[in-house]
Amino acid sequence: MNIRRHIFAVAAAAMLSTGAYAADIKVGVIGPFTGGSASMGVSMRDGVRLAAKEINAAGGIDGNKIVLVERDDEAKNERGVQIAQELINNEKVAATLGYINTGVALASQRFFQEAKIPVINNVATGTLITKQFPNAAENYVFRTSAADNIQAPMIAKEAVEKRGLKKVAILADSTNYGQLGREDLEKALKTYGVTPVTTEKFNLGDVDMTSQLLKAKNAGAEVILTYAIGPELAQIANGMAKLGWKKPLIGSWTLSMASFIDTAGKNGNGATMPETFIQNPPTTPKRKAFVEAYLKDFKPKNGIIASPVSAAQGYDSVYLLAAAIKQAKGTEGPKILAALQDLKTPIDGVVMSYNKPFSAADHEAIKAKDVVMGIVEDGKVEFLNAEDATAKKK
Amino acid sequence: MEMFAQILSSGIAVGMIYAVIAFGFQLTFATSGTLNFGQGEALMLGALVGLTCVDMLGMNYWLMIPIVCLFGMVQGGFVELIGVRPAIKIKSEFGWIMSTIALGIIFKNVAENIWGRDALPFPSPLPMEPMEFLGANILPMEILVVVGALVMMLLVEFFNRKTIYGKAVVATANDRDAAGLMGINTSLVITFSYALSSLTAAFAGVLIAPLTLTGAAMGGALGLKAFAVAIIGGLSSGMGIIVGGLILGIVETATGFYISTGYKDVPGLILLLLVLAFKPSGLFGKTAIKKV
């Protein structure tokens, strides 16, 4: 149903926007628009739509309009694989933006790699993602999100160095995301000489976290470090409240998902996570304009973007791609790749200013210095450190 | 000791959830020898309808319950009429299996399109602050689940034993042909048992929704666990269902704590295999002799 609707919508949009003189540039957008990761997927898609709309309104890329080909991967690896093949063979996209789920990205992006079509991961954070093809002559996978090997050390630093909590428990879900993140976390803890007192695992959809939390409590954990997504994270926060066991919750950026914040309610207060973008307060004029435009177009509940990080990274990924296509003067994959690896024009993005964000050796736009810590306060994410909110470097 | 009390209390709460759903399996099995494999989906629909009443229409939690029960009855009756009756009519041994599974999938898809596929929080009618009991922390809602489940099962038992309509159900369960000869409309009784079984599932849905999250996907895993409970406890024994549920709930929580949370689901399934191997009618079930 959904898929067909998307196809119709895109086809209709394509017919309407086709100019007599200009060619359309098809760009794939892949993410989970339904299901447990939907708050990230939909926010990313809306960020992408917003940027594409702005670029098209300003005349497109040298007069050529961007046409988005949106597909819902439902956070399922097999759907991702199907969609990748469809976008390459049927839709003949020039490039693809997206992937929210590390597992789906790892399963699907090899098709783009083989077809020499660039992929910009704008949300998925698994460290392996940009390093999946170490032996290939050219790597078509880029990223505009904070990789786990940036986030994990920040989480470890916050717990061990800043708060002095050495007895840590790790709770991670059993997906690729959770388990790869757990490895990064264990590596990061090792640099402080810390071994987790316990490492627990759970499945998506688990409703009772009592055994995991009791094990952590019994092992004397002083802090819970998490690698999971919203609904299960909320079960952890609610389970801790039930046990009357108050310990800090520090984890990957998914602690900022609406499905965590809304479901955990006041039990979610104090959860701390690395963030590339925090909606309030907007620290740069660019951020302010982005938030206003987003709220105006998509009217999210209570004026809070469901996943501000995904929206901002999605938005920036379009501008990076557009700049590369403009510079490449064509939509052939190798040309876009070369342009992305050597972007001449700096781009004033929402997350940060991108000045030569990629090189042939480094496909990560975001570095550790570009990420700040956020904390959940009464239903929204705030800056943990006041200096980040006022003097965020560009 | 405190740990054990905590594990026990959490296990009991989880186990009673399984038991209520499994109870629905038993209701239809007794009258028609068939099961509704969409039982998990009936629970999911009940919870989502309840959420719509509470969240969108601003209804009181307690007022919403009868509406959800009514909805469950209609839904269960529908399943019987569309999926099961034709199979019974042609004396098909297995047609009802596929049709109830198919209807379950259809319900799930419909729910996804109406409510989306997100897991939604369900507002709790009781305070979410835990109470201390023998050193264990228990949520008032968990107690409500256990009490509500027991009350509902007792009500159904009372209905079956004390009322004339209930006696029709029992008569049909004992010997369908004889009951038919005595003037009981047995196919109506079977429809009714399906309505009742979906009612219990829908009720279970709104009972557990404040503890878990609500969403189109919530029924699948719970329905499967409940089926395991029904097999372990015995499809013909109400007592067995409760005991089976408690065993599975406690074993799961205890395994998670004492062995590994990665293996939480394994012992319950091993138990299921053991029961099937050594006492196929279930721990409390009567051995049925079936001519082949």
Side-chain angles (χ1 to χ4, degrees):
Chain A
M1 268 309 276
N2 243 340
I3 304 299
R4 183 156 300 166
R5 213 165 54 222
H6 283 310
I7 296 173
F8 283 143
V10 171
M15 272 182 253
L16 287 175
S17 60
T18 306
Y21 55 96
D24 288 337
I25 298 170
K26 277 193 180 178
V27 174
V29 182
I30 304 181
F33 306 143
T34 53
S37 313
S39 60
M40 298 185 280
V42 170
S43 301
M44 179 277 284
R45 182 192 67 193
D46 290 349
V48 167
R49 280 185 184 172
L50 187 63
K53 192 181 95 177
E54 287 174 7
I55 292 171
N56 286 343
I61 304 169
D62 293 331
N64 304 318
K65 294 243 183 306
I66 298 177
V67 174
L68 301 177
V69 185
E70 298 169 357
R71 293 288 183 274
D72 180 5
D73 65 29
E74 302 171 23
K76 290 181 188 147
N77 295 3
E78 67 280 8
R79 287 285 304 142
V81 168
Q82 280 173 358
I83 291 169
Q85 290 168 322
E86 188 215 339
L87 290 188
I88 294 165
N89 300 322
N90 299 354
E91 297 290 344
K92 314 235 180 284
V93 295
T96 286
L97 307 171
Y99 291 124
I100 307 296
N101 307 87
T102 297
V104 184
L106 291 177
S108 320
Q109 59 192 14
R110 64 174 64 254
F111 297 97
F112 291 102
Q113 169 75 19
E114 280 160 18
K116 295 188 189 298
I117 295 173
V119 182
I120 304 182
N121 277 274
N122 48 22
V123 179
T125 56
T127 301
L128 189 58
I129 283 177
T130 50
K131 300 171 183 64
Q132 199 183 359
F133 313 106
N135 302 323
E138 270 169 334
N139 179 7
Y140 280 83
V141 181
F142 295 82
R143 167 153 51 195
T144 61
S145 60
D148 286 337
N149 60 3
I150 295 176
Q151 292 188 47
M154 290 181 75
I155 297 166
K157 185 177 177 188
E158 181 67 30
V160 182
E161 194 181 302
K162 290 236 171 102
R163 303 194 191 182
L165 305 171
K166 296 229 159 57
K167 296 182 118 183
V168 309
I170 298 180
L171 263 62
D173 70 29
S174 55
T175 65
N176 273 347
Y177 176 66
Q179 292 306 309
L180 290 172
R182 174 189 54 78
E183 280 173 26
D184 279 323
L185 211 46
E186 282 168 353
K187 221 178 287 166
L189 286 169
K190 205 172 263 170
T191 60
Y192 295 99
V194 170
T195 316
V197 290
T198 178
T199 304
E200 298 304 323
K201 164 192 224 197
F202 44 86
N203 295 325
L204 294 189
D206 273 7
V207 292
D208 188 57
M209 296 284 174
T210 308
S211 357
Q212 285 90 342
L213 290 168
L214 278 181
K215 278 191 114 165
K217 188 182 176 191
N218 238 20
E222 299 167 318
V223 56
I224 303 265
L225 307 186
T226 59
Y227 245 97
I229 59 168
E232 287 76 29
L233 290 169
Q235 295 288 4
I236 293 175
N238 293 341
M240 277 163 80
K242 182 192 124 178
L243 294 179
W245 185 53
K246 270 245 152 274
K247 291 291 169 214
L249 200 58
I250 307 175
S252 61
W253 76 282
T254 41
L255 281 167
S256 68
M257 282 171 72
S259 49
F260 168 73
I261 297 176
D262 292 350
T263 317
K266 65 175 170 39
N267 298 336
N269 278 347
T272 306
M273 78 305 282
E275 293 274 83
T276 56
F277 172 69
I278 287 170
Q279 186 185 339
N280 280 312
T283 45
T284 63
K286 181 82 192 173
R287 289 183 159 198
K288 193 159 179 286
F290 165 74
V291 170
E292 278 166 10
Y294 189 100
L295 296 187
K296 186 168 153 281
D297 270 23
F298 304 108
K299 300 187 177 53
K301 203 170 75 183
N302 304 332
I304 299 170
I305 303 173
S307 174
V309 170
S310 312
Q313 287 167 183
Y315 180 89
D316 283 0
S317 67
V318 183
Y319 274 96
L320 289 172
L321 177 66
I325 294 176
K326 194 176 163 85
Q327 185 180 318
K329 297 196 188 339
T331 53
E332 293 82 3
K335 280 192 190 165
I336 301 178
L337 175 88
L340 273 174
Q341 290 182 153
D342 181 31
L343 267 186
K344 303 260 193 276
T345 41
I347 287 158
D348 183 22
V350 172
V351 171
M352 58 177 187
S353 285
Y354 300 88
N355 200 356
K356 290 202 183 294
F358 305 112
S359 67
D362 182 6
H363 283 198
E364 302 278 355
I366 291 185
K367 310 288 185 290
K369 67 175 173 46
D370 306 313
V371 189
V372 299
M373 292 305 276
I375 181 166
V376 176
E377 296 269 15
D378 301 322
K380 43 187 195 303
V381 180
E382 310 266 359
F383 286 94
L384 177 66
N385 306 310
E387 67 271 19
D388 293 329
T390 47
K392 172 87 176 76
K393 53 191 165 300
K394 288 198 40 180
Chain B
M1 188 57 214
E2 266 173 45
M3 283 296 157
F4 188 68
Q6 187 70 58
I7 290 166
L8 206 61
S9 70
S10 277
I12 290 174
V14 176
M16 279 313 274
I17 296 175
Y18 298 155
V20 204
I21 313 168
F23 187 66
F25 281 122
Q26 193 220 328
L27 285 175
T28 61
F29 188 76
T31 56
S32 61
T34 58
L35 303 169
N36 179 5
F37 282 104
Q39 197 75 352
E41 274 63 43
L43 166 131
M44 171 271 293
L45 284 178
L48 284 172
V49 168
L51 182 67
T52 309
C53 290
V54 172
D55 226 29
M56 311 223 164
L57 308 176
M59 207 178 279
N60 183 293
Y61 179 85
W62 311 104
L63 274 179
M64 165 274 290
I65 290 179
I67 296 178
V68 167
C69 289
L70 197 68
F71 170 83
M73 286 196 82
V74 174
Q75 191 258 347
F78 176 79
V79 169
E80 203 275 340
L81 285 177
I82 299 290
V84 183
R85 181 167 296 199
I88 294 180
K89 200 170 271 169
I90 57 165
K91 299 222 169 0
S92 156
E93 277 272 355
F94 304 113
W96 53 271
I97 299 181
M98 279 322 290
S99 38
T100 54
I101 292 177
L103 280 169
I105 296 173
I106 292 171
F107 287 134
K108 185 168 174 236
N109 277 320
V110 169
E112 281 172 0
N113 280 300
I114 298 178
W115 287 280
R117 293 213 272 122
D118 274 338
L120 309 160
F122 197 111
S124 168
L126 298 176
M128 285 309 270
E129 271 73 52
M131 304 186 303
E132 215 175 283
F133 184 73
L134 293 177
N137 280 306
I138 301 171
L139 291 175
M141 205 55 220
E142 286 179 310
I143 298 173
L144 183 68
V145 167
V146 175
V147 173
L150 285 173
V151 166
M152 189 204 63
M153 291 193 224
L154 286 175
L155 277 179
V156 174
E157 284 294 306
F158 174 81
F159 171 83
N160 279 349
R161 285 181 198 194
K162 299 288 174 196
T163 67
I164 184 78
Y165 299 105
K167 285 184 176 140
V169 173
V170 175
T172 309
N174 280 336
D175 189 334
R176 198 182 154 198
D177 293 332
L181 290 172
M182 295 302 286
I184 294 171
N185 184 347
T186 52
S187 48
L188 187 68
V189 168
I190 292 172
T191 310
F192 175 74
S193 71
Y194 263 82
L196 206 57
S197 96
S198 276
L199 181 154
T200 58
F203 178 66
V206 289
L207 214 49
I208 64 167
L211 286 176
T212 65
L213 296 172
T214 326
M218 76 186 286
L222 284 174
L224 200 66
K225 291 268 173 67
F227 185 62
V229 164
I231 299 294
I232 292 170
L235 269 166
S236 54
S237 161
M239 184 65 192
I241 295 288
I242 297 180
V243 176
L246 294 183
I247 291 178
L248 192 65
I250 294 168
V251 163
E252 269 185 8
T253 320
T255 311
F257 182 71
Y258 291 111
I259 301 173
S260 157
T261 42
Y263 284 111
K264 215 174 149 191
D265 293 335
V266 174
L269 296 173
I270 291 180
L271 186 65
L272 175 74
L273 293 175
L274 287 176
V275 168
L276 282 175
F278 296 106
K279 202 166 181 312
S281 57
L283 293 179
F284 288 77
K286 294 182 226 77
T287 317
I289 299 157
K290 191 176 171 197
K291 290 190 215 92
V292 185

